[in-house]
Amino acid sequence: MAKRAAKPKVEKSIETQLWESANKLRGNIEASEYKHVVLSLIFLKYAGVRFERQYKKLQEEYGEVASAICNMPQSYAKDNVFYLPEECRWSYIMENAKQPNIPQIIDKALSDIEKSNKQLTGAMPVNYYTQVGIDPAKLGSLIDTINDMEKHMDDSNDFFGRVYEYCLSNFALQEGKGKGEYYTPKAIVNLITEMIEPYKGKVYDPACGSGGMFVQSSKFIEAHGGNRKDISVYGQEYTLTTYKLAKMNLAIRGISANLGE
């Protein structure tokens, strides 16, 4: 009897690998709480990668006077990069990932980043890592997991956005009832975007959740050869924690928006 051919092994995407690794470290924390832990760390990693690239670029460009230039927030803002004080940088977080006070270190980093970048006002969780009660050892392992993303990064500017959105959708599935507060299935958002054809003008979402409509509108414009600067993005969100998710989601995508702040 002839043997059946073995099924080819399906390679898991980096999004799937990250999700599975992060979920194993969750313990008894509810998905509704844990999503803020994971998504905020993804944001910190994103901000850290962008900052380090800009820092290196400035050093190469300015040579002997680079030290002063590299510590000027406007040197980063001009290229849509968030300025990070030293203790907010991903390298500093990695150095201290195994310390028992790592929750406090992350809380301070998020707070200081918000203070240093006006466009992030209201976006960062406040003392969240200290309050949620995640074991510092598990938090350190989660930081290692998210740090490993860099090995899988491609040249796409959308890499961190894809990872963020994938985790966001999976947390919504785990939460079940109530997930509609912040996440509308991507297929539905895509359909609405195709119908409204947001080439130019204002895009407004009165219950914007985590900002999915704005993300898909941006993708629509790029797919049709348009310019994202031709639209103005406006939104509102009643739930504070969801508002913060939206602000981070749009920041990772490089989308400027007025969410009623």
Side-chain angles (χ1 to χ4, degrees):
M1 186 176 178
K3 292 183 178 180
R4 288 185 179 181
K7 291 183 178 180
K9 186 177 179 180
V10 178
E11 192 72 27
K12 292 181 180 178
S13 68
I14 178 54
E15 294 95 329
T16 303
Q17 293 176 51
L18 173 64
W19 169 257
E20 291 178 352
S21 298
N23 211 30
K24 287 178 183 176
L25 295 166
R26 195 174 104 193
N28 59 0
I29 301 177
E30 293 293 329
S32 57
E33 297 288 343
Y34 193 57
K35 71 171 178 278
H36 299 291
V37 174
V38 174
L39 296 173
S40 295
L41 286 178
I42 291 173
F43 174 80
L44 279 174
K45 176 63 177 175
Y46 157 82
V49 168
R50 293 287 308 280
F51 176 86
E52 292 298 336
R53 287 178 177 173
Q54 184 75 353
Y55 189 93
K56 185 177 179 180
K57 176 183 172 183
L58 292 170
Q59 284 185 316
E60 293 173 350
E61 186 174 348
Y62 290 98
E64 294 181 359
V65 297
S67 180
I69 301 293
C70 287
N71 288 302
M72 296 171 61
Q74 55 266 41
S75 299
Y76 299 84
K78 68 182 180 66
D79 291 323
N80 201 26
V81 176
F82 299 120
Y83 174 73
L84 305 182
E86 189 171 349
E87 293 185 358
C88 303
R89 298 169 192 175
W90 187 257
S91 56
Y92 182 83
I93 291 170
M94 282 299 300
E95 287 173 11
N96 291 277
K98 306 306 180 187
Q99 299 301 318
N101 66 332
I102 186 60
Q104 290 83 3
I105 289 173
I106 295 174
D107 279 335
K108 186 177 186 305
L110 290 168
S111 175
D112 288 350
I113 289 174
E114 184 173 318
K115 290 174 184 175
S116 300
N117 300 274
K118 289 184 179 180
Q119 65 269 49
L120 292 176
T121 299
M124 301 292 102
V126 179
N127 294 328
Y128 196 83
Y129 289 80
T130 305
Q131 295 173 7
V132 77
I134 185 171
D135 177 61
K138 285 188 175 181
L139 181 54
S141 296
L142 179 59
I143 290 170
D144 287 340
T145 296
I146 290 175
N147 186 60
D148 285 343
M149 284 197 302
E150 196 161 2
K151 296 188 297 188
H152 304 275
M153 284 176 60
D154 52 33
D155 294 331
S156 168
N157 291 328
D158 197 37
F159 176 80
F160 283 99
R162 293 199 324 263
V163 172
Y164 189 96
E165 184 177 357
Y166 183 88
C167 291
L168 195 63
S169 64
N170 274 277
F171 279 121
L173 288 172
Q174 289 207 351
E175 289 181 54
K177 186 179 179 181
K179 67 184 180 183
E181 284 187 2
Y182 69 88
Y183 190 80
T184 303
K186 188 176 178 181
I188 295 175
V189 179
N190 282 346
L191 175 61
I192 296 172
T193 305
E194 291 289 338
M195 291 174 67
I196 65 174
E197 298 182 340
Y199 290 107
K200 292 183 179 181
K202 296 177 181 178
V203 177
Y204 172 62
D205 188 343
C208 67
S210 54
M213 175 63 70
F214 306 137
V215 171
Q216 294 307 318
S217 294
S218 176
K219 288 183 176 181
F220 176 90
I221 292 169
E222 291 176 348
H224 290 80
N227 188 335
R228 290 198 315 189
K229 293 181 180 180
D230 289 339
I231 65 166
S232 299
V233 172
Y234 298 89
Q236 290 179 298
E237 176 51 47
Y238 177 78
T239 306
L240 180 60
T241 54
T242 304
Y243 170 85
K244 292 177 184 291
L245 290 177
K247 292 275 281 189
M248 278 193 285
N249 192 14
L250 298 179
I252 286 176
R253 303 282 188 171
I255 299 174
S256 298
N258 184 329
L259 301 186
E261 60 272 25

